[in-house]
Amino acid sequence: MALIKSNPYLVLVSLLFVFMADIYSGQTIDFVKDTWITSPGIESLRKELRVLSQAVKNQALRINILEGELTDVKQKKCQCESLVFSPESYPTTKMTLTTTKAMVTSSTLTSTTLKDSTIELPALKGNAGREFLVLFMRNHPGSTGALSLYVTTENETILNVSSAQDLKPAIKSKIDRKTTVTSELNFTLPFDLTCKYLTVEPKAVLLQTSELSTVTAFDSLYEGATDGSLIIPTSKLSTKYLISTTEPYKINRDFYSQFAIGALFDGSNINVTFKMKKEVPLSLPDGSYTDGDVCSIALGRLETFQVRHTTDLTGTLITSSKPIAVFSGHRCQALKSKYCSHMVTQLPPTNELDKDYIVPTFYNNEATLIQVVSEHTSTVILTVGDRQSTWYLNERDFKNVEVKSGEITVIVSDQPVLVSGFGMGVPYDSYMTVIPGVHQYLDFYKITVPAGYTENYICVIIPMDYKTNLRINGLRVNQYKVVYESSKVLNTTTYVIYTFEVEAGTFLLSTSDHSAFGLIVYGHRNIDGYSFAGNILLP
């Protein structure tokens, strides 16, 4: 002990060793009772070590708390993964197609799928989600190839793709899969998954991701009959929709206007109130329907039903007892072009519609057809270029306007409305998309531009005050080819409209100050075109 007493530094070292030994053994140090230290100069060291002791104890307590929280997080993650990736069986349910006139019973179908459970997720933004229901409508009779899906994510995610147990094994074996997506993934589904007309089928597909993702679908790889659509996450699906189509180019099976419904849950009771531009009867399995008639359909989970007609079905109202997905468009349509092209878009539910829109025309297209559909009686002020007009729309009413290339349209309504844009062709074929409203704009998008097109365009609509904050793949916009630029005022705010020509690939668009902007993506090739919006939901 003499050596310790004569050297304060050795005292400090010894105390530290003792202190650490006690810490690791879980014992408490009491420096006041240590009688073997007698040096008068050691008192200050005692005080410092008391402070150090308490600080380390506090840190150890914080570590224990954090370790407990981490354990809780891991347990919750395991619970979520078990809910997402461990399907539970639903009982066999009998699906029926019913109408106000009669009831027609379809074949009995068994749905083995995920339980109708709620998983705690962070607040979703726009079209980002962790679960998506996808279906594919009938395409042109000559279309071949495969159905394409693009998944993009910011964080590495596990992707689970599943279909109904009652789907034919030959089709199901080509669909169900589980894989990892690091940034983006493109994969195909069999063309046999396309829905048939007027038949209840188990042909919806469910995509589930462990991280927030976005999904875009392309209907066919056939060169002249492709269109794209952004897919809405199931958390944003709802129970009321308005249909958007146009008047078919010809009255035959190649040019049908059409819509399809996909059910997320068993026991989805659906009512379709038809609106038809022409008084042309629609034949369904149980009878004939005209404008104003109501058809009732009962669907089980992952079941689909598709309707077609030889007249415009815009304004048709679809309601359901449970959330459903609704797609609309044309089997093939020619507006101004010489040849027809497939048209498809997933529709947002009516509770996600906006009142204010800026609609650019599609670049390098002779004209754009803009359609406005109103759920309720509404007054719509439409400004095209410097020309202004007022539309008075009744319930489920709609109007179309043809806008020349290069003109910008501003739409202001006193009630929420659905706005669709149709590329009319010349020199390319027709396509369609839902137009985003200004309150649906986001500050971040990650999208994939498909390969195989001679021209691809990204159209951005952004407030002028924030245009210098726009970035594409982290670069300022002057690094990209601008083929069109204009501006337009909406509700005292001036917006700049940029159209960039880009190559195929994945693009991340954002603003450095998190200001929101609109996004529309489209492209052309010889006898084909596609388009989809960056977001069609309220944030």
Side-chain angles (χ1 to χ4, degrees):
M1 302 298 292
L3 182 61
I4 295 177
K5 293 179 182 178
S6 63
N7 193 331
Y9 295 102
L10 289 178
V11 171
L12 176 60
V13 171
S14 299
L15 284 172
L16 287 174
F17 274 116
V18 172
F19 170 74
M20 295 307 296
D22 285 345
I23 287 294
Y24 283 110
S25 65
Q27 299 174 5
T28 303
I29 300 175
D30 189 346
F31 293 102
V32 177
K33 296 180 180 180
D34 288 343
T35 57
W36 51 272
I37 302 176
T38 59
S39 172
I42 208 67
E43 185 60 32
S44 60
L45 293 177
R46 289 177 178 166
K47 293 180 181 179
E48 292 177 8
L49 285 174
R50 287 192 189 101
V51 174
L52 178 61
S53 171
Q54 189 59 48
V56 173
K57 288 178 183 178
N58 292 340
Q59 288 295 96
L61 179 62
R62 290 183 61 191
I63 290 172
N64 289 336
I65 293 172
L66 290 173
E67 286 177 344
E69 292 177 350
L70 179 60
T71 300
D72 290 341
V73 170
K74 289 179 178 178
Q75 289 175 349
K76 290 180 180 179
K77 180 182 177 184
C78 292
Q79 292 170 0
C80 289
E81 288 179 346
S82 66
L83 286 171
V84 173
F85 298 118
S86 300
E88 294 184 23
S89 295
Y90 262 66
T92 300
T93 57
K94 196 172 187 179
M95 311 307 165
T96 59
L97 167 64
T98 63
T99 71
T100 55
K101 302 176 181 179
M103 179 179 290
V104 180
T105 303
S106 69
S107 58
T108 299
L109 299 176
T110 303
S111 179
T112 300
T113 179
L114 286 178
K115 190 174 183 179
D116 294 2
S117 57
T118 301
I119 300 174
E120 270 193 28
L121 299 176
L124 302 184
K125 197 169 186 181
N127 270 77
R130 285 179 173 156
E131 184 179 75
F132 304 84
L133 187 148
V134 184
L135 63 82
F136 293 92
M137 297 194 298
R138 290 293 291 272
N139 205 316
H140 186 277
S143 60
T144 58
L147 311 170
S148 298
L149 289 171
Y150 291 82
V151 179
T152 60
T153 180
E154 273 303 287
N155 301 305
E156 183 175 292
T157 182
I158 299 171
L159 170 66
N160 188 59
V161 184
S162 59
S163 56
Q165 283 296 109
D166 299 335
L167 189 61
K168 292 180 179 179
I171 303 176
K172 185 175 178 62
S173 63
K174 299 177 182 178
I175 296 172
D176 295 0
R177 67 194 72 184
K178 185 176 180 180
T179 187
T180 299
V181 183
T182 55
S183 176
E184 64 275 336
L185 175 70
N186 168 225
F187 63 96
T188 60
L189 299 176
F191 197 73
D192 292 339
L193 192 64
T194 301
C195 297
K196 295 180 180 178
Y197 290 126
L198 310 179
T199 304
V200 176
E201 301 175 286
K203 284 193 173 180
V205 172
L206 202 65
L207 278 69
Q208 295 164 309
T209 59
S210 58
E211 300 290 336
L212 292 177
S213 307
T214 56
V215 177
T216 310
F218 284 82
D219 206 294
S220 174
L221 295 180
Y222 176 68
E223 186 178 278
T226 300
D227 202 358
S229 177
L230 189 67
I231 302 301
I232 297 173
T234 59
S235 58
K236 288 290 188 120
L237 297 180
S238 193
T239 58
K240 185 182 289 188
Y241 296 83
L242 288 168
I243 295 301
S244 172
T245 61
T246 58
E247 187 66 19
Y249 174 64
K250 292 181 179 179
I251 303 177
N252 65 43
R253 68 189 184 106
D254 293 353
F255 301 95
Y256 286 139
S257 60
Q258 59 187 19
F259 63 84
I261 304 166
L264 182 62
F265 300 110
D266 282 331
S268 297
N269 299 312
I270 301 158
N271 290 323
V272 179
T273 305
F274 287 107
K275 186 176 181 66
M276 304 176 187
K277 186 174 182 179
K278 295 180 180 178
E279 287 292 332
V280 181
L282 173 62
S283 295
L284 293 179
D286 66 317
S288 180
Y289 289 81
T290 57
D291 184 46
D293 287 342
V294 180
C295 170
S296 297
I297 308 162
L299 295 180
R301 187 172 173 85
L302 300 187
E303 288 194 320
T304 60
F305 189 78
Q306 183 174 206
V307 174
R308 84 290 182 268
H309 204 8
T310 56
T311 189
D312 191 352
L313 293 170
T314 300
T316 293
L317 177 67
I318 299 177
T319 60
S320 175
S321 61
K322 296 182 180 181
I324 55 175
V326 179
F327 295 71
S328 74
H330 285 262
R331 188 175 193 184
C332 207
Q333 175 69 310
L335 295 173
K336 282 182 173 291
S337 55
K338 183 178 179 181
Y339 302 100
C340 74
S341 182
H342 186 58
M343 286 186 177
V344 62
T345 188
Q346 184 171 6
L347 296 169
T350 57
N351 63 301
E352 294 286 345
L353 301 179
D354 204 352
K355 297 180 181 180
D356 305 315
Y357 295 82
I358 296 175
V359 189
T361 52
F362 294 106
Y363 181 77
N364 202 14
N365 208 305
E366 183 177 299
T368 298
L369 182 71
I370 299 172
Q371 182 182 86
V372 180
V373 193
S374 181
E375 180 187 2
H376 306 289
T377 299
S378 61
T379 301
V380 179
I381 299 175
L382 186 88
T383 305
V384 181
D386 57 359
R387 308 178 304 279
Q388 188 175 98
S389 57
T390 302
W391 293 348
Y392 300 99
L393 300 180
N394 295 320
E395 184 177 324
R396 298 194 296 118
D397 199 3
F398 74 96
K399 280 188 177 294
N400 297 336
V401 60
E402 183 179 322
V403 181
K404 294 181 180 179
S405 180
E407 290 190 311
I408 305 297
T409 301
V410 173
I411 298 170
V412 178
S413 174
D414 65 345
Q415 297 291 330
V417 291
L418 172 67
V419 178
S420 300
F422 299 82
M424 300 190 74
V426 183
Y428 305 101
D429 283 358
S430 306
Y431 46 87
M432 71 178 292
T433 187
V434 172
I435 302 297
V438 297
H439 299 102
Q440 297 169 333
Y441 293 176
L442 303 177
D443 63 0
F444 176 90
Y445 303 86
K446 188 173 183 179
I447 54 96
T448 300
V449 174
Y453 290 83
T454 55
E455 300 174 358
N456 294 288
Y457 301 103
I458 293 176
C459 179
V460 171
I461 308 139
I462 186 170
M464 180 172 285
D465 291 345
Y466 309 118
K467 68 176 186 178
T468 58
N469 300 323
L470 180 64
R471 302 289 185 271
I472 303 177
N473 288 343
L475 301 175
R476 293 183 180 273
V477 296
N478 57 12
Q479 302 295 311
Y480 289 84
K481 181 181 179 181
V482 178
V483 295
Y484 176 84
E485 181 179 349
S486 186
S487 62
K488 203 69 177 177
V489 177
L490 170 62
N491 298 334
T492 73
T493 300
T494 301
Y495 289 82
V496 177
I497 297 92
Y498 291 115
T499 300
F500 303 95
E501 185 171 4
V502 298
E503 300 294 328
T506 299
F507 293 86
L508 193 154
L509 294 94
S510 62
T511 48
S512 58
D513 64 341
H514 302 292
S515 52
F517 59 97
L519 177 66
I520 302 172
V521 184
Y522 56 99
H524 309 134
R525 59 187 174 193
N526 185 26
I527 53 172
D528 195 19
Y530 75 91
S531 62
F532 62 90
N535 179 55
I536 53 175
L537 302 171
L538 296 173

